[in-house]
Amino acid sequence: MGGGAEMSLGEEREQALIDAAFAAAGHAYAPYSDYPVGAALLFDDGAVVTGCNVENASYGLSLCAETVAVAKALGEGRRGGLAAVAVVGLKTGAEPITPCGRCRQVLNEVAALGQSDPLVLCVSSAGVRRVALSALLPHAFGPAHLG
Ligand code: THU
């Protein structure tokens, strides 16, 4: 399923994915930024893999929620099939979070493995922004470039 192409999951599945991302944000370890983030990846078989940001006293070693979720998914053996992603930032009233540049590249790896263009739901208490991963990261570098 190419979420980006369809740009809609249906209200119920969309809300379930957002709920999963909020639940993941509840596990965030973000004592330095005080900005908890949760990510939820939806796969074609219906599986949802979540992650939260994991910070470190050595600030630059902190991991973003999307990266943690992708590492979990690849570590479980998933290779492609990424239909949609929800990312939530828990800052009241703030703009909906969009994945940082590094996370766009990390998400692209799973998407490229299954040739999907996942729908990315960018969420804050202020609202939801729907955007295709290919729009967040046009002309992405990926596994195909390595032959
Ligand atoms: N963060 C994420 O988890 N995902 C993003 O896409 C942007 C930023 C985290 C990293 C850090 O723990 C906190 O948000 C503040 O930058």
Side-chain angles (χ1 to χ4, degrees):
M1 186 201 312
E6 296 166 26
M7 288 304 282
S8 170
L9 288 181
E11 209 176 309
E12 215 165 288
R13 282 197 312 160
E14 193 171 295
Q15 194 53 53
L17 194 62
I18 290 170
D19 289 349
F22 269 109
H27 299 298
Y29 176 65
Y32 306 109
S33 70
D34 197 27
Y35 184 57
V37 181
L41 313 181
L42 174 66
F43 288 87
D44 282 343
D45 63 358
V48 172
V49 178
T50 62
C52 61
N53 53 338
V54 178
E55 297 186 347
N56 193 279
S58 178
Y59 298 170
L61 301 185
S62 298
L63 301 172
C64 287
E66 303 92 313
T67 290
V68 170
V70 167
K72 284 170 67 180
L74 288 170
E76 286 175 5
R78 294 194 173 272
R79 300 289 185 268
L82 184 58
V85 180
V87 191
V88 311
L90 298 188
K91 204 67 148 192
T92 311
E95 275 285 289
I97 185 173
T98 52
C100 79
R102 184 177 190 272
C103 285
R104 294 174 195 203
Q105 181 67 33
V106 168
L107 288 166
N108 181 70
E109 188 75 16
V110 190
L113 288 173
Q115 282 154 358
S116 67
D117 183 10
L119 171 66
V120 182
L121 304 168
C122 306
V123 184
S124 77
S125 58
V128 179
R129 179 178 293 151
R130 291 167 188 77
V131 58
L133 181 62
S134 62
L136 289 172
L137 190 68
H139 310 292
F141 177 77
H145 291 103
L146 300 176

